[in-house]
Amino acid sequence: QVQLVESGGGLVQAGGSLSVSCAASGRTFSSYAMGWFRQAPGKEREFVVGISWSGYNTDYADSVKGRFTISRDNAKNTVYLQMNSLKPVDTAVYYCAAAFAARNSVPMRPIEYTYWGQGTQVTVSS
C-alpha cells in the first residue's frame, strides 16, 4: 500500500513558476514509476509527466515539454514537479500517482497507475 500526499499548489500569474511535490508513504517507493496528471473542470484527466522508478527515464506531454520538470528523491520518498512559464491553460487539479512498472518504463495512461494522491489545485491567472 502506498499513500500519496501532494502539496505546493496555489495561484500564480501567467509566466510564473510553481513547484508541487508528492510525498509517499511506504518503504517501496523506489519500486514505483511516478506520474503527474491533471484535470481541468469539464475535461478528462490527462498525463502531464512521468518518471521511471529508476529515475533514468522521463516522459512529458507535448504541452509541457520545456516548461515542466519532474524529479524524484527516493531517499525522501518524494517526487517533485517544477512548473515554469505557466499558462492559464495549465490551470487544473494536479494529481500524483504511483504505478508498478519495469525499471525504466514510464506509464502514461491513468489506468496503469495504482495509487493516487488527493490532488492539489494549480491556478494560473492571465
Side-chain angles (χ1 to χ4, degrees), residues 4-35:
L4 304 174
V5 179
E6 301 97 336
S7 61
L11 174 65
V12 65
Q13 288 188 332
S17 298
L18 203 61
S19 179
V20 292
S21 61
C22 174
S25 65
R27 294 180 294 174
T28 58
F29 171 77
S30 60
S31 299
Y32 292 90
M34 299 298 297

PDB file of all heavy atoms in Angstrom, residues 4-35:
ATOM      1  N   LEU A   4      -0.178   8.721  -1.062  1.00  0.00           N
ATOM      2  CA  LEU A   4       0.466   9.859  -1.715  1.00  0.00           C
ATOM      3  C   LEU A   4      -0.207  11.148  -1.265  1.00  0.00           C
ATOM      4  O   LEU A   4      -1.439  11.240  -1.258  1.00  0.00           O
ATOM      5  CB  LEU A   4       0.352   9.725  -3.232  1.00  0.00           C
ATOM      6  CG  LEU A   4       0.896   8.428  -3.838  1.00  0.00           C
ATOM      7  CD1 LEU A   4       0.579   8.360  -5.314  1.00  0.00           C
ATOM      8  CD2 LEU A   4       2.400   8.323  -3.617  1.00  0.00           C
ATOM      9  N   VAL A   5       0.603  12.129  -0.934  1.00  0.00           N
ATOM     10  CA  VAL A   5       0.078  13.417  -0.494  1.00  0.00           C
ATOM     11  C   VAL A   5       0.778  14.525  -1.269  1.00  0.00           C
ATOM     12  O   VAL A   5       1.992  14.711  -1.141  1.00  0.00           O
ATOM     13  CB  VAL A   5       0.269  13.622   1.017  1.00  0.00           C
ATOM     14  CG1 VAL A   5      -0.262  14.993   1.438  1.00  0.00           C
ATOM     15  CG2 VAL A   5      -0.424  12.516   1.800  1.00  0.00           C
ATOM     16  N   GLU A   6       0.006  15.260  -2.057  1.00  0.00           N
ATOM     17  CA  GLU A   6       0.560  16.374  -2.816  1.00  0.00           C
ATOM     18  C   GLU A   6       0.547  17.642  -1.977  1.00  0.00           C
ATOM     19  O   GLU A   6      -0.292  17.818  -1.102  1.00  0.00           O
ATOM     20  CB  GLU A   6      -0.244  16.633  -4.098  1.00  0.00           C
ATOM     21  CG  GLU A   6      -0.329  15.474  -5.059  1.00  0.00           C
ATOM     22  CD  GLU A   6      -1.605  14.686  -4.902  1.00  0.00           C
ATOM     23  OE1 GLU A   6      -2.197  14.742  -3.802  1.00  0.00           O
ATOM     24  OE2 GLU A   6      -2.027  14.014  -5.868  1.00  0.00           O
ATOM     25  N   SER A   7       1.457  18.530  -2.307  1.00  0.00           N
ATOM     26  CA  SER A   7       1.484  19.833  -1.667  1.00  0.00           C
ATOM     27  C   SER A   7       2.142  20.832  -2.608  1.00  0.00           C
ATOM     28  O   SER A   7       2.836  20.436  -3.552  1.00  0.00           O
ATOM     29  CB  SER A   7       2.246  19.787  -0.338  1.00  0.00           C
ATOM     30  OG  SER A   7       3.581  19.394  -0.545  1.00  0.00           O
ATOM     31  N   GLY A   8       1.887  22.101  -2.352  1.00  0.00           N
ATOM     32  CA  GLY A   8       2.590  23.147  -3.091  1.00  0.00           C
ATOM     33  C   GLY A   8       1.797  23.828  -4.174  1.00  0.00           C
ATOM     34  O   GLY A   8       2.309  24.722  -4.836  1.00  0.00           O
ATOM     35  N   GLY A   9       0.557  23.427  -4.380  1.00  0.00           N
ATOM     36  CA  GLY A   9      -0.235  24.118  -5.387  1.00  0.00           C
ATOM     37  C   GLY A   9      -0.572  25.527  -4.938  1.00  0.00           C
ATOM     38  O   GLY A   9      -0.256  25.935  -3.826  1.00  0.00           O
ATOM     39  N   GLY A  10      -1.209  26.264  -5.827  1.00  0.00           N
ATOM     40  CA  GLY A  10      -1.598  27.624  -5.468  1.00  0.00           C
ATOM     41  C   GLY A  10      -1.937  28.452  -6.678  1.00  0.00           C
ATOM     42  O   GLY A  10      -2.210  27.919  -7.757  1.00  0.00           O
ATOM     43  N   LEU A  11      -1.915  29.753  -6.471  1.00  0.00           N
ATOM     44  CA  LEU A  11      -2.262  30.713  -7.515  1.00  0.00           C
ATOM     45  C   LEU A  11      -1.004  31.425  -7.974  1.00  0.00           C
ATOM     46  O   LEU A  11      -0.195  31.880  -7.154  1.00  0.00           O
ATOM     47  CB  LEU A  11      -3.269  31.721  -6.969  1.00  0.00           C
ATOM     48  CG  LEU A  11      -3.648  32.905  -7.867  1.00  0.00           C
ATOM     49  CD1 LEU A  11      -4.371  32.417  -9.106  1.00  0.00           C
ATOM     50  CD2 LEU A  11      -4.489  33.897  -7.081  1.00  0.00           C
ATOM     51  N   VAL A  12      -0.836  31.524  -9.280  1.00  0.00           N
ATOM     52  CA  VAL A  12       0.329  32.192  -9.839  1.00  0.00           C
ATOM     53  C   VAL A  12      -0.096  32.916 -11.112  1.00  0.00           C
ATOM     54  O   VAL A  12      -1.043  32.493 -11.787  1.00  0.00           O
ATOM     55  CB  VAL A  12       1.461  31.173 -10.118  1.00  0.00           C
ATOM     56  CG1 VAL A  12       1.041  30.180 -11.189  1.00  0.00           C
ATOM     57  CG2 VAL A  12       2.752  31.859 -10.485  1.00  0.00           C
ATOM     58  N   GLN A  13       0.606  33.981 -11.437  1.00  0.00           N
ATOM     59  CA  GLN A  13       0.312  34.705 -12.664  1.00  0.00           C
ATOM     60  C   GLN A  13       0.941  34.000 -13.860  1.00  0.00           C
ATOM     61  O   GLN A  13       1.944  33.289 -13.719  1.00  0.00           O
ATOM     62  CB  GLN A  13       0.831  36.134 -12.565  1.00  0.00           C
ATOM     63  CG  GLN A  13       0.033  37.014 -11.620  1.00  0.00           C
ATOM     64  CD  GLN A  13       0.456  38.467 -11.710  1.00  0.00           C
ATOM     65  OE1 GLN A  13       1.595  38.772 -12.041  1.00  0.00           O
ATOM     66  NE2 GLN A  13      -0.464  39.374 -11.395  1.00  0.00           N
ATOM     67  N   ALA A  14       0.357  34.222 -14.998  1.00  0.00           N
ATOM     68  CA  ALA A  14       0.898  33.647 -16.229  1.00  0.00           C
ATOM     69  C   ALA A  14       2.368  34.055 -16.378  1.00  0.00           C
ATOM     70  O   ALA A  14       2.735  35.203 -16.120  1.00  0.00           O
ATOM     71  CB  ALA A  14       0.098  34.121 -17.427  1.00  0.00           C
ATOM     72  N   GLY A  15       3.172  33.098 -16.781  1.00  0.00           N
ATOM     73  CA  GLY A  15       4.602  33.325 -16.910  1.00  0.00           C
ATOM     74  C   GLY A  15       5.388  32.999 -15.661  1.00  0.00           C
ATOM     75  O   GLY A  15       6.625  32.944 -15.694  1.00  0.00           O
ATOM     76  N   GLY A  16       4.680  32.775 -14.586  1.00  0.00           N
ATOM     77  CA  GLY A  16       5.337  32.487 -13.324  1.00  0.00           C
ATOM     78  C   GLY A  16       5.675  31.018 -13.161  1.00  0.00           C
ATOM     79  O   GLY A  16       5.478  30.205 -14.077  1.00  0.00           O
ATOM     80  N   SER A  17       6.186  30.695 -11.978  1.00  0.00           N
ATOM     81  CA  SER A  17       6.628  29.333 -11.678  1.00  0.00           C
ATOM     82  C   SER A  17       5.973  28.834 -10.402  1.00  0.00           C
ATOM     83  O   SER A  17       5.614  29.630  -9.524  1.00  0.00           O
ATOM     84  CB  SER A  17       8.146  29.279 -11.520  1.00  0.00           C
ATOM     85  OG  SER A  17       8.796  29.641 -12.707  1.00  0.00           O
ATOM     86  N   LEU A  18       5.879  27.542 -10.334  1.00  0.00           N
ATOM     87  CA  LEU A  18       5.301  26.901  -9.152  1.00  0.00           C
ATOM     88  C   LEU A  18       5.909  25.512  -9.042  1.00  0.00           C
ATOM     89  O   LEU A  18       6.176  24.861 -10.060  1.00  0.00           O
ATOM     90  CB  LEU A  18       3.779  26.806  -9.300  1.00  0.00           C
ATOM     91  CG  LEU A  18       2.925  26.681  -8.054  1.00  0.00           C
ATOM     92  CD1 LEU A  18       3.115  27.911  -7.154  1.00  0.00           C
ATOM     93  CD2 LEU A  18       1.459  26.550  -8.449  1.00  0.00           C
ATOM     94  N   SER A  19       6.113  25.086  -7.831  1.00  0.00           N
ATOM     95  CA  SER A  19       6.629  23.744  -7.600  1.00  0.00           C
ATOM     96  C   SER A  19       5.639  22.974  -6.737  1.00  0.00           C
ATOM     97  O   SER A  19       5.168  23.493  -5.731  1.00  0.00           O
ATOM     98  CB  SER A  19       7.987  23.822  -6.903  1.00  0.00           C
ATOM     99  OG  SER A  19       8.482  22.525  -6.655  1.00  0.00           O
ATOM    100  N   VAL A  20       5.339  21.775  -7.149  1.00  0.00           N
ATOM    101  CA  VAL A  20       4.496  20.906  -6.350  1.00  0.00           C
ATOM    102  C   VAL A  20       5.268  19.640  -6.028  1.00  0.00           C
ATOM    103  O   VAL A  20       6.160  19.242  -6.781  1.00  0.00           O
ATOM    104  CB  VAL A  20       3.168  20.558  -7.072  1.00  0.00           C
ATOM    105  CG1 VAL A  20       2.294  21.789  -7.191  1.00  0.00           C
ATOM    106  CG2 VAL A  20       3.415  19.943  -8.427  1.00  0.00           C
ATOM    107  N   SER A  21       4.951  19.053  -4.919  1.00  0.00           N
ATOM    108  CA  SER A  21       5.640  17.840  -4.522  1.00  0.00           C
ATOM    109  C   SER A  21       4.631  16.791  -4.082  1.00  0.00           C
ATOM    110  O   SER A  21       3.479  17.098  -3.791  1.00  0.00           O
ATOM    111  CB  SER A  21       6.637  18.130  -3.405  1.00  0.00           C
ATOM    112  OG  SER A  21       5.974  18.640  -2.268  1.00  0.00           O
ATOM    113  N   CYS A  22       5.097  15.571  -4.040  1.00  0.00           N
ATOM    114  CA  CYS A  22       4.249  14.441  -3.672  1.00  0.00           C
ATOM    115  C   CYS A  22       5.054  13.538  -2.753  1.00  0.00           C
ATOM    116  O   CYS A  22       6.058  12.961  -3.180  1.00  0.00           O
ATOM    117  CB  CYS A  22       3.817  13.698  -4.927  1.00  0.00           C
ATOM    118  SG  CYS A  22       2.908  12.170  -4.632  1.00  0.00           S
ATOM    119  N   ALA A  23       4.611  13.451  -1.526  1.00  0.00           N
ATOM    120  CA  ALA A  23       5.278  12.609  -0.546  1.00  0.00           C
ATOM    121  C   ALA A  23       4.560  11.268  -0.459  1.00  0.00           C
ATOM    122  O   ALA A  23       3.333  11.211  -0.359  1.00  0.00           O
ATOM    123  CB  ALA A  23       5.278  13.292   0.814  1.00  0.00           C
ATOM    124  N   ALA A  24       5.338  10.215  -0.490  1.00  0.00           N
ATOM    125  CA  ALA A  24       4.773   8.874  -0.471  1.00  0.00           C
ATOM    126  C   ALA A  24       5.131   8.152   0.815  1.00  0.00           C
ATOM    127  O   ALA A  24       6.228   8.313   1.355  1.00  0.00           O
ATOM    128  CB  ALA A  24       5.296   8.079  -1.663  1.00  0.00           C
ATOM    129  N   SER A  25       4.194   7.375   1.287  1.00  0.00           N
ATOM    130  CA  SER A  25       4.468   6.517   2.440  1.00  0.00           C
ATOM    131  C   SER A  25       4.901   5.155   1.918  1.00  0.00           C
ATOM    132  O   SER A  25       4.706   4.830   0.747  1.00  0.00           O
ATOM    133  CB  SER A  25       3.222   6.375   3.294  1.00  0.00           C
ATOM    134  OG  SER A  25       2.210   5.684   2.564  1.00  0.00           O
ATOM    135  N   GLY A  26       5.467   4.360   2.763  1.00  0.00           N
ATOM    136  CA  GLY A  26       5.840   3.012   2.349  1.00  0.00           C
ATOM    137  C   GLY A  26       7.304   2.919   1.984  1.00  0.00           C
ATOM    138  O   GLY A  26       7.899   3.864   1.480  1.00  0.00           O
ATOM    139  N   ARG A  27       7.873   1.773   2.237  1.00  0.00           N
ATOM    140  CA  ARG A  27       9.304   1.593   2.008  1.00  0.00           C
ATOM    141  C   ARG A  27       9.643   1.222   0.576  1.00  0.00           C
ATOM    142  O   ARG A  27      10.797   1.159   0.223  1.00  0.00           O
ATOM    143  CB  ARG A  27       9.826   0.509   2.947  1.00  0.00           C
ATOM    144  CG  ARG A  27       9.763   0.884   4.419  1.00  0.00           C
ATOM    145  CD  ARG A  27      10.289  -0.252   5.284  1.00  0.00           C
ATOM    146  NE  ARG A  27       9.433  -1.421   5.194  1.00  0.00           N
ATOM    147  CZ  ARG A  27       9.728  -2.582   5.755  1.00  0.00           C
ATOM    148  NH1 ARG A  27      10.850  -2.727   6.425  1.00  0.00           N
ATOM    149  NH2 ARG A  27       8.895  -3.592   5.646  1.00  0.00           N
ATOM    150  N   THR A  28       8.615   0.974  -0.245  1.00  0.00           N
ATOM    151  CA  THR A  28       8.885   0.517  -1.598  1.00  0.00           C
ATOM    152  C   THR A  28       8.683   1.613  -2.639  1.00  0.00           C
ATOM    153  O   THR A  28       8.511   1.324  -3.814  1.00  0.00           O
ATOM    154  CB  THR A  28       7.984  -0.681  -1.951  1.00  0.00           C
ATOM    155  OG1 THR A  28       6.604  -0.284  -1.801  1.00  0.00           O
ATOM    156  CG2 THR A  28       8.280  -1.849  -1.055  1.00  0.00           C
ATOM    157  N   PHE A  29       8.731   2.857  -2.195  1.00  0.00           N
ATOM    158  CA  PHE A  29       8.533   3.980  -3.122  1.00  0.00           C
ATOM    159  C   PHE A  29       9.450   3.880  -4.317  1.00  0.00           C
ATOM    160  O   PHE A  29       9.059   4.155  -5.449  1.00  0.00           O
ATOM    161  CB  PHE A  29       8.774   5.292  -2.375  1.00  0.00           C
ATOM    162  CG  PHE A  29       8.809   6.502  -3.259  1.00  0.00           C
ATOM    163  CD1 PHE A  29       7.647   7.052  -3.754  1.00  0.00           C
ATOM    164  CD2 PHE A  29      10.029   7.097  -3.606  1.00  0.00           C
ATOM    165  CE1 PHE A  29       7.668   8.181  -4.576  1.00  0.00           C
ATOM    166  CE2 PHE A  29      10.062   8.216  -4.413  1.00  0.00           C
ATOM    167  CZ  PHE A  29       8.891   8.763  -4.900  1.00  0.00           C
ATOM    168  N   SER A  30      10.680   3.487  -4.079  1.00  0.00           N
ATOM    169  CA  SER A  30      11.662   3.454  -5.161  1.00  0.00           C
ATOM    170  C   SER A  30      11.337   2.403  -6.206  1.00  0.00           C
ATOM    171  O   SER A  30      11.948   2.385  -7.266  1.00  0.00           O
ATOM    172  CB  SER A  30      13.063   3.211  -4.592  1.00  0.00           C
ATOM    173  OG  SER A  30      13.098   1.984  -3.898  1.00  0.00           O
ATOM    174  N   SER A  31      10.369   1.530  -5.942  1.00  0.00           N
ATOM    175  CA  SER A  31       9.994   0.493  -6.900  1.00  0.00           C
ATOM    176  C   SER A  31       8.840   0.912  -7.810  1.00  0.00           C
ATOM    177  O   SER A  31       8.414   0.119  -8.658  1.00  0.00           O
ATOM    178  CB  SER A  31       9.591  -0.787  -6.156  1.00  0.00           C
ATOM    179  OG  SER A  31      10.659  -1.270  -5.388  1.00  0.00           O
ATOM    180  N   TYR A  32       8.320   2.122  -7.632  1.00  0.00           N
ATOM    181  CA  TYR A  32       7.183   2.593  -8.413  1.00  0.00           C
ATOM    182  C   TYR A  32       7.592   3.667  -9.405  1.00  0.00           C
ATOM    183  O   TYR A  32       8.334   4.587  -9.067  1.00  0.00           O
ATOM    184  CB  TYR A  32       6.109   3.180  -7.502  1.00  0.00           C
ATOM    185  CG  TYR A  32       5.423   2.178  -6.612  1.00  0.00           C
ATOM    186  CD1 TYR A  32       5.918   1.900  -5.352  1.00  0.00           C
ATOM    187  CD2 TYR A  32       4.279   1.527  -7.030  1.00  0.00           C
ATOM    188  CE1 TYR A  32       5.296   0.982  -4.523  1.00  0.00           C
ATOM    189  CE2 TYR A  32       3.647   0.607  -6.211  1.00  0.00           C
ATOM    190  CZ  TYR A  32       4.160   0.342  -4.965  1.00  0.00           C
ATOM    191  OH  TYR A  32       3.530  -0.560  -4.160  1.00  0.00           O
ATOM    192  N   ALA A  33       7.080   3.544 -10.617  1.00  0.00           N
ATOM    193  CA  ALA A  33       7.120   4.688 -11.512  1.00  0.00           C
ATOM    194  C   ALA A  33       6.134   5.716 -10.965  1.00  0.00           C
ATOM    195  O   ALA A  33       5.103   5.361 -10.378  1.00  0.00           O
ATOM    196  CB  ALA A  33       6.724   4.281 -12.924  1.00  0.00           C
ATOM    197  N   MET A  34       6.459   6.980 -11.135  1.00  0.00           N
ATOM    198  CA  MET A  34       5.611   8.048 -10.618  1.00  0.00           C
ATOM    199  C   MET A  34       5.171   8.944 -11.757  1.00  0.00           C
ATOM    200  O   MET A  34       5.927   9.213 -12.697  1.00  0.00           O
ATOM    201  CB  MET A  34       6.362   8.875  -9.580  1.00  0.00           C
ATOM    202  CG  MET A  34       6.810   8.089  -8.364  1.00  0.00           C
ATOM    203  SD  MET A  34       5.438   7.400  -7.422  1.00  0.00           S
ATOM    204  CE  MET A  34       4.596   8.889  -6.888  1.00  0.00           C
ATOM    205  N   GLY A  35       3.953   9.400 -11.656  1.00  0.00           N
ATOM    206  CA  GLY A  35       3.427  10.273 -12.694  1.00  0.00           C
ATOM    207  C   GLY A  35       2.658  11.440 -12.117  1.00  0.00           C
ATOM    208  O   GLY A  35       2.177  11.381 -10.979  1.00  0.00           O
TER     209      GLY A  35
END
